[in-house]
Amino acid sequence: MSRPLYRGFSGGGGGKDRCADEGRHYDPKEPSENGIGAGGCGTPARGRKRHLAAAAARIGVLVLAAAALVGSVAWAGSLYAGRGAAAAMAAASAHRGYRRLQEQLVTDLLDIGALAGGGLRSREAEACAAEYENHVPCYYNGSDAVDVSDLGGGVVISYERQCSREGRATCLVAPPRAYRTPVRWPSSKEFIWKDNVRISGHEFSSGSLFKRMMVEEDQISFPSDAHMSDGVEDYAHQIAEMIGLRNEFNFNEAGVRTVLDIECGFGTMGAHLFERDLLTMCIANYEASGSQVQITLERGIPALIGSFASKQLPYPYLSFDMVHCARCNIEWDKNVDRLLRPGGYFVWTSSLHTHRALRDKENQKKWATIRDLANNLCWEILSQQEETIVWKKTNKRDCYSSRKSEPVLCARSHDPELPYYKPLNPCIAGTRSKRWIPIEHRTTWPSQARLNSTELDIHGVNSEVFGEDTSTWDSMVRNYWSLLSPLIFSDHPKRPGDEEPHPPFNMLRNVLDMNAHFGGFNAALLKSGKSVWVMNVVPINAPNYLPLIFDRGFIGVQHDWCEAFPTYPRTYDMVHADGFLSLEKRQKRRCSTLDIFLEVDRILRPEGWIIIRDTAPLIEAARSVAAQLRWDARILDLDIASDEKLLVCQKPFLKK
């Protein structure tokens, strides 16, 4: 059974004893004797001990490797000495097989040695320079900017995602000097700390539909009535009526659960719909300052950096029940239909098609192009009120065969469920998929999360395996929460001026699962009544169950963990990884565990949590990497009969 988790951690980073003086500040310009910053609270003696430990680890690995090789040679020699030619041939064959096992042993030992030392590097990671405070590697080192013209007018600069190993930060991205522990959910819907996000003057313009906010001395507030002419509640009610519903509380009954909000402003629409059991994903271009994605996540609403310019978004076909685009500056025609489920809704709010705008001949041409395109996509206009139009995607495959114009149906070779940043393909996708099921015929939320045997068959998943996975995660989440609750709710270190948080003011809101599998961790959190949302990440080197995750009514993304995650620093409260180390170990060291953990540290908020579940040797090695990142860490036993262990870490609040 798992032991209680106390504030004084053992292992990698140490607990409060590691830095007795809570007021001590971290200064990367003052390295100690072993290369550790003053805020690391290390001593020269401790540094020497770590160097000796690292040297011992290296020597141990080499000794074991040499012993394994010598043993194999001696064993083979004894076989040759006592046998004839035929026996020698057999012995040689056996020797080759045994030699392969020995080589695999050496490889495994070297893997663990590299994992434990992050490439046998024993020094604690240093803090990045101040210009890295909002560093997003795959966009800072991106190629030329691309101009994308909005069909409703205006031009924005969209930075293409382009990852390289050279763009990866090899240091700890420290928070801004005035950074504070984020406002907890649900208060974060209403206001956030101004110094926690990067903003610029143009963000306070009153001319933007979604980007209005009130700035006070130390905080930014988001009154809902400031985001729509009649308030966000009236706007959501209007959309529901245009679909044919009584109000926005009936969205689930119409088959709507997941919503993609393109250029969401600052997430107010998503915050409102969350209370209506709708899960809204904000997607917006990378922005060097005043980021919609950064501020939306700071408020506790799902968001991700994504560009529609030339690559597919890393979501599978037929993922979202509704796509919302209010004055969004993108060419939505190339991406939206692929992501929208049959029978789903596309809500577009723009001034382009108003009576006043259509007096202009150029606007008339643009509107005619959009209207014709929607017809060719087999979308039906349900309603048009003032600036808002609602289209419904067809739920009949034969509609496409009756068309006489483009876009054409995608070829079979271009219709896979592997969306990881493939080039845009202007064709109609998903019609051959078994997942082509109209939203009105799907199981509604919350029963949708359980998936019946027929729905599981679509994904090739056995119902017994799925049921066992569900039971396992229900138990694990209860275990996790019993371990973390004393720290999260009772023993959380208060900062000067902070009030003690009490439920439902969650210390955890934004959760990321690095290896989501079926999304069982997400489902168990919701079943246990936790007011969190989970970004379910399916690694590109794992079985692709992302379509299943979306069919359960959750959200997620495919990702290569040897690249930077498409988000800003300090945007998640918890990162969870089950079996992830084992998955990466099988990939023959594509990148080091230290590289991956540095990325986890970048996206994790100060005082955020990391929970890693894996085999005992990998967990022991991972604790050494956690020590390099100054994480407070402790290893816990899950079960006496299990060879798996749990590594629970907390990122420290390093202040400059």
Side-chain angles (χ1 to χ4, degrees), residues 512-618:
L512 186 145
D513 195 353
M514 295 179 69
N515 186 24
H517 199 53
F518 297 151
F521 181 54
N522 189 161
L525 285 172
L526 296 183
K527 185 185 295 186
S528 62
K530 305 301 182 292
S531 186
V532 302
W533 65 270
V534 179
M535 182 68 75
N536 294 283
V537 181
V538 174
I540 62 170
N541 52 339
N544 183 21
Y545 290 113
L546 189 57
L548 181 150
I549 288 170
F550 271 96
D551 287 354
R552 297 187 72 178
F554 306 147
I555 57 174
V557 66
Q558 264 197 326
H559 184 61
D560 180 353
W561 280 109
C562 285
E563 298 178 355
F565 194 74
T567 190
Y568 293 83
R570 304 172 301 279
T571 45
Y572 285 90
D573 300 305
M574 175 186 281
V575 174
H576 174 261
D578 174 51
F580 176 76
L581 299 176
S582 296
L583 179 68
E584 284 297 316
K585 179 178 176 294
R586 293 193 291 269
Q587 302 304 308
K588 302 300 181 184
R589 299 194 298 273
R590 295 182 308 124
C591 54
S592 74
T593 303
L594 178 60
D595 288 335
I596 297 173
F597 279 19
L598 277 168
E599 176 61 11
V600 170
D601 188 88
R602 184 185 71 87
I603 67 178
L604 195 65
R605 288 172 169 173
E607 297 180 349
W609 296 90
I610 307 100
I611 298 180
I612 303 174
R613 177 187 175 196
D614 222 299
T615 61
L618 293 177

Side-chain angles (χ1 to χ4, degrees), residues 1-2 636-645:
M1 296 297 292
S2 298
L636 301 171
D637 293 320
L638 287 172
D639 195 308
I640 297 177
S642 173
D643 67 341
E644 292 185 332
K645 289 183 180 291

Side-chain angles (χ1 to χ4, degrees), residues 179-199:
Y179 185 86
R180 299 172 65 177
T181 301
V183 179
R184 300 305 177 181
W185 182 268
S187 296
S188 58
K189 286 192 302 182
E190 307 302 328
F191 77 97
I192 61 174
W193 302 125
K194 183 179 66 175
D195 292 323
N196 283 16
V197 296
R198 174 178 282 186
I199 56 176

Side-chain angles (χ1 to χ4, degrees), residues 73 75 207 279 350 498 536 539 566 602 620 639-640 647 654 656:
V73 173
W75 176 80
L279 190 57
S350 172
D498 289 352
N536 294 283
R602 184 185 71 87
E620 291 284 355
D639 195 308
I640 297 177
L647 179 64
L654 300 179
K656 290 183 288 187

